[in-house]
Amino acid sequence: MNKIKRGIFYQDEQETIALGSHYYPSFHPKKIPVFSLKEQQKEAEKDLKAMHELGFNLVRFAALGSTYLEDNVIRKDTEFTDQLLEIARRNYLASLVRLQGYSSNLRNAPYALMQDENGKEIPLKWDYFIRNCLSNPSVVKEDEEITRYLAKHYENNENVIGFQIYNEPAYPFMGFYDYNPFTLKAFHIETGIFMDPPYHRPKTKEELTTWIAFRKFNNRRMNQYLVHLANIATEVGKKPSFTCLMPSAVQQGSAIRGTDFFTITKGMDFLGITLYISPLGVVSKEYQRILDIANSVARAYQTHAWAIECDARVDMSSYEYEVMMLYLLGSGFKGMMPYQYRADAEIEGAPEPNRYGIVYNDGTETKKYKTVQEMNYFIQKWSHHLAKAEAYQHPVAIYMSQDMAIYQDAITNAEQKNAWKCKEPYAIYSSLIYESLLEKGYHPQFVNMEVLKEKRVEPQVILLPSIDGLPLEEKDYLTSLEKEGVDIRVYNPFFHGYETVDEENKQSATELLMSRGISPLYQVNQEDVYVKVLENEEEYFIFIIHSSTNEKELDQVSILLPLLKEKTIEIIWSHQEIVQCLGETLTIQHLKSGIILRLRKEEK
């Protein structure tokens, strides 16, 4: 019996790391991995069997098939998806099913789609996964009906263990949304503001107030909408629900993309993200930051994070794949799903022809194929231990505020309409704080006001990327924490250090943390080498990860790791590196992508 509970995958009542991939034999007209539709079932039999043999235990499907009205009641053709689910069951693959498609308006309601600042409807693009106006009662009702119908249909299918709510939901990365008349009406009613919001970033104080209120309204509407559908699916289908958030929620442009890790995690069963940033080189710091935010937020709400989609492009090297999986495991993720098993077809107009896959579209193995199998087999062996372990975190937190992000976006990014090119200090300084801590051997938590108020997380030190645009309510609450003995410091980019809110006390991160008795987890003598630690009741798992873009092995890597304390180490995954331990110092000769060490808490 398979199930997901608190973001952990259970097989026969035992905690297990979820190892999944994706199979879309007929996604939509521009994305068809299997050339002949008549051969789809035969191809699925072959591919899903191969996935199981590769060591996967999970597969993600979309609820394929036409949606239609029957006596004004929504129905959906599920025959083909049902066939896929049965094939997956026979091949010992548990299944996740995405319930919603791109958009629906079967009853032809007016103003069904979102509108941009020019009054133009959102275009039909393959990567704009949510297009309906989230305030139009008719299309909302249809989404609810579809969700209920499919959740009920799969309620008694024991091989379906979770429902995905949309895919990579967010407002488009180009332009401002949503100015649909239904949205404007709901905005006026909910906020009591009866003037229309600006159709550009604000140029006056009055526009600034209304723009911020409008962005906050749209963002609430997006997150609450997703949580609402998730609650329907779980209530009707009796299975956990989740979504797959892009990292834009915690990067630049988050103010206009609209999704929020905290709200989604609180309202759903676990936090799913998608991540296609490289884990190598300088970018690896941003990669780790996203993983640590996701893990931190999930932990605060007593659940876990999954990489519902992680990069498995066809040209990925074995080295990069190993680094990616080591970072995911070492960051406390309980589900890893490389996208996808079989690459898409090379047809005219296809958005990702033969681009992502463990095998090419014709079934040929990519160069990482054996590595995928070896990593899966290793994780299977240690799955129970790793699934019970949590990532090490220091009692220092980086503060996150969606209100601050919205304010700084409004005054910083002028007429920039591409979210990925926005440059609000909130996002930039958050990254700089994290990178500085990481380089010094610290693993921070990430908090907002709600998790602090609810005592879900109680750090000794809280670092703010800025106070520009921080709401008065949040300032007052942080001041009250300061009176309780929590160090509240604001990042100052001019000396790359921290100061008290009144700017009187200036310190570096190391000075501040060491004064509170918070010591680094490790120190390392080479660049591009990082240490992650998982801990359960019985043992530590130490991940030493080398993530260089040149993929060349390092000689004589020396790591000071006080956690060792003369305990016996066991190497459980490596490329046969030679490891020597002297006191608290670990020396590794010829380090390739990384190694994993096991450390028992009590010597046997």
Side-chain angles (χ1 to χ4, degrees):
M1 180 69 176
N2 299 319
K3 65 180 179 181
I4 300 173
K5 183 179 180 181
R6 291 180 52 249
I8 294 180
F9 179 41
Y10 285 80
Q11 289 185 303
D12 299 324
E13 303 301 323
Q14 180 162 290
E15 299 100 324
T16 305
I17 296 293
L19 295 167
S21 193
H22 315 78
Y23 194 69
Y24 299 134
S26 177
F27 196 95
H28 63 74
K30 289 188 177 180
K31 198 170 186 182
I32 305 173
V34 179
F35 288 102
S36 171
L37 299 181
K38 294 179 181 179
E39 296 293 313
Q40 285 180 342
Q41 188 170 349
K42 177 182 175 182
E43 295 293 327
E45 294 274 5
K46 177 182 66 178
D47 290 337
L48 294 173
K49 181 176 184 290
M51 287 173 64
H52 169 68
E53 291 171 350
L54 262 175
F56 289 111
N57 52 29
L58 184 70
V59 60
R60 182 179 76 155
F61 297 116
L64 308 170
S66 59
T67 307
Y68 56 94
L69 282 176
E70 184 177 275
D71 297 329
N72 204 34
V73 176
I74 286 185
R75 294 287 182 263
K76 190 170 182 69
D77 173 18
T78 62
E79 181 180 0
F80 185 58
T81 304
D82 294 344
Q83 291 174 356
L84 292 175
L85 291 168
E86 174 56 21
I87 297 169
R89 184 195 66 78
R90 292 201 304 268
N91 286 283
Y92 309 101
L93 295 168
S95 301
L96 305 174
V97 178
R98 177 166 60 82
L99 302 184
Q100 296 81 17
Y102 282 71
S103 62
S104 63
N105 185 21
L106 298 175
R107 297 185 176 93
N108 297 313
Y111 302 109
L113 299 177
M114 296 182 192
Q115 293 183 12
D116 67 12
E117 72 278 9
N118 299 311
K120 294 182 179 179
E121 291 186 338
I122 187 172
L124 177 56
K125 291 185 63 182
W126 71 270
D127 56 348
Y128 286 0
F129 292 103
I130 185 165
R131 301 173 64 240
N132 281 340
C133 170
L134 307 183
S135 298
N136 184 315
S138 178
V139 294
V140 170
K141 182 174 182 294
E142 286 192 12
D143 241 356
E144 293 172 342
E145 287 182 73
I146 291 170
T147 302
R148 285 193 181 93
Y149 181 84
L150 289 173
K152 187 65 178 176
H153 177 75
Y154 294 120
E155 177 187 1
N156 296 318
N157 188 323
E158 292 186 355
N159 205 54
V160 177
I161 62 169
F163 297 129
Q164 180 172 329
I165 307 302
Y166 275 100
N167 183 58
E168 298 185 345
Y171 293 109
F173 70 90
M174 286 296 295
F176 306 137
Y177 288 84
D178 173 28
Y179 291 88
N180 182 295
F182 280 103
T183 300
L184 296 179
K185 180 180 178 181
F187 166 69
H188 297 322
I189 293 171
E190 184 174 309
T191 64
I193 298 173
F194 295 104
M195 61 184 295
D196 278 352
Y199 288 73
H200 50 76
R201 281 200 177 84
K203 296 180 174 61
T204 67
K205 186 174 181 179
E206 184 178 54
E207 286 178 336
L208 176 63
T209 301
T210 313
W211 172 272
I212 290 174
F214 187 57
R215 287 263 53 90
K216 289 172 67 174
F217 165 80
N218 269 305
N219 293 3
R220 278 196 306 274
R221 185 55 51 100
M222 173 68 76
N223 291 285
Q224 290 172 358
Y225 188 82
L226 296 169
V227 169
H228 173 60
L229 293 180
N231 291 339
I232 289 174
T234 296
E235 180 182 356
V236 174
K238 307 296 188 294
K239 302 177 194 293
S241 297
F242 63 97
T243 188
C244 183
L245 293 181
M246 288 181 285
S248 58
V250 294
Q251 295 182 290
Q252 73 273 20
S254 64
I256 58 176
R257 296 310 305 274
T259 46
D260 172 52
F261 277 17
F262 290 94
T263 306
I264 294 298
T265 307
K266 181 180 180 181
M268 296 191 186
D269 291 278
F270 61 95
L271 175 59
I273 69 166
T274 176
L275 190 55
Y276 289 88
I277 298 172
S278 173
L280 304 181
V282 175
V283 188
S284 73
K285 297 173 185 176
E286 178 67 356
Y287 192 91
Q288 293 179 70
R289 185 179 78 94
I290 294 164
L291 296 184
D292 285 350
I293 294 175
N295 173 65
S296 186
V297 174
R299 289 271 298 279
Y301 287 101
Q302 298 183 313
T303 186
H304 295 88
W306 287 34
I308 300 298
E309 291 183 28
C310 52
D311 196 355
R313 66 186 187 278
V314 294
D315 63 349
M316 177 181 272
S317 68
S318 292
Y319 174 93
E320 185 173 354
Y321 187 88
E322 288 175 352
V323 170
M324 177 185 76
M325 294 300 285
L326 292 172
Y327 273 136
L328 287 165
L329 274 175
S331 300
F333 274 57
K334 304 307 178 193
M336 298 87 173
M337 304 186 69
Y339 184 87
Q340 56 185 332
Y341 171 69
R342 183 169 176 170
D344 294 341
E346 292 185 288
I347 57 178
E348 185 178 354
E352 297 172 333
N354 248 339
R355 186 174 174 187
Y356 296 99
I358 298 165
V359 299
Y360 290 97
N361 183 254
D362 64 2
T364 305
E365 297 175 5
T366 62
K367 57 188 174 184
K368 65 180 178 298
Y369 185 90
K370 293 298 183 186
T371 299
V372 173
Q373 186 175 55
E374 290 168 0
M375 290 293 291
N376 282 352
Y377 284 4
F378 161 75
I379 294 170
Q380 282 182 353
K381 178 180 177 180
W382 290 95
S383 193
H384 181 56
H385 298 263
L386 296 169
K388 294 192 301 180
E390 303 290 2
Y392 185 93
Q393 294 177 318
H394 283 93
V396 53
I398 298 175
Y399 189 78
M400 302 181 73
S401 168
Q402 197 174 58
D403 283 22
M404 190 196 301
I406 291 171
Y407 174 85
Q408 292 189 11
D409 170 77
I411 65 172
T412 303
N413 291 318
E415 289 304 307
Q416 178 59 255
K417 293 182 180 181
N418 185 333
W420 295 114
K421 294 184 178 180
C422 290
K423 299 188 181 300
E424 58 271 21
Y426 167 80
I428 296 169
Y429 295 167
S430 293
S431 294
L432 291 174
I433 293 171
Y434 176 81
E435 290 174 9
S436 173
L437 293 173
L438 187 67
E439 289 168 356
K440 293 176 175 63
Y442 289 101
H443 291 298
Q445 304 171 58
F446 291 83
V447 299
N448 67 357
M449 184 172 70
E450 183 177 85
V451 301
L452 291 170
K453 272 190 169 183
E454 295 176 357
K455 304 295 183 184
R456 295 178 180 274
V457 177
E458 298 185 75
Q460 297 176 30
V461 177
I462 299 174
L463 305 176
L464 278 69
S466 173
I467 56 172
D468 195 15
L470 189 68
L472 181 60
E473 179 189 5
E474 295 184 37
K475 284 183 182 176
D476 289 345
Y477 180 70
L478 291 171
T479 300
S480 72
L481 288 182
E482 205 166 21
K483 292 177 181 177
E484 295 174 9
V486 180
D487 266 316
I488 310 293
R489 300 299 172 96
V490 182
Y491 177 72
N492 187 320
F494 295 105
F495 68 96
H496 198 42
Y498 302 88
E499 57 195 16
T500 49
V501 177
D502 57 14
E503 301 180 9
E504 289 185 359
N505 191 352
K506 294 178 170 57
Q507 287 178 293
S508 69
T510 303
E511 291 170 337
L512 171 61
L513 297 177
M514 293 299 284
S515 71
R516 294 297 301 255
I518 304 173
S519 301
L521 179 64
Y522 68 94
Q523 295 176 34
V524 64
N525 71 334
Q526 303 228 31
E527 292 183 352
D528 297 321
V529 177
Y530 301 95
V531 178
K532 304 287 186 183
V533 174
L534 295 181
E535 175 184 11
N536 61 32
E537 293 180 357
E538 302 166 353
E539 59 214 336
Y540 295 102
F541 291 94
I542 301 171
F543 293 72
I544 298 167
I545 307 169
H546 171 219
S547 53
S548 171
T549 51
N550 63 27
E551 302 191 6
K552 292 182 180 179
E553 65 183 40
L554 293 176
D555 292 327
Q556 296 297 317
V557 176
S558 179
I559 302 169
L560 180 63
L561 191 63
L563 196 63
L564 294 176
K565 296 180 180 176
E566 300 182 355
K567 285 184 167 56
T568 303
I569 61 172
E570 175 187 1
I571 302 173
I572 64 170
W573 188 87
S574 78
H575 288 282
Q576 299 182 330
E577 283 90 350
I578 299 173
V579 179
Q580 296 175 320
C581 184
L582 182 61
E584 297 179 351
T585 301
L586 202 68
T587 302
I588 306 169
Q589 297 181 32
H590 313 306
L591 179 64
K592 294 184 180 179
S593 58
I595 64 173
I596 305 176
L597 308 176
R598 183 192 189 197
L599 218 67
R600 293 186 184 275
K601 288 189 174 180
E602 294 184 10
E603 295 286 3
K604 300 296 182 183

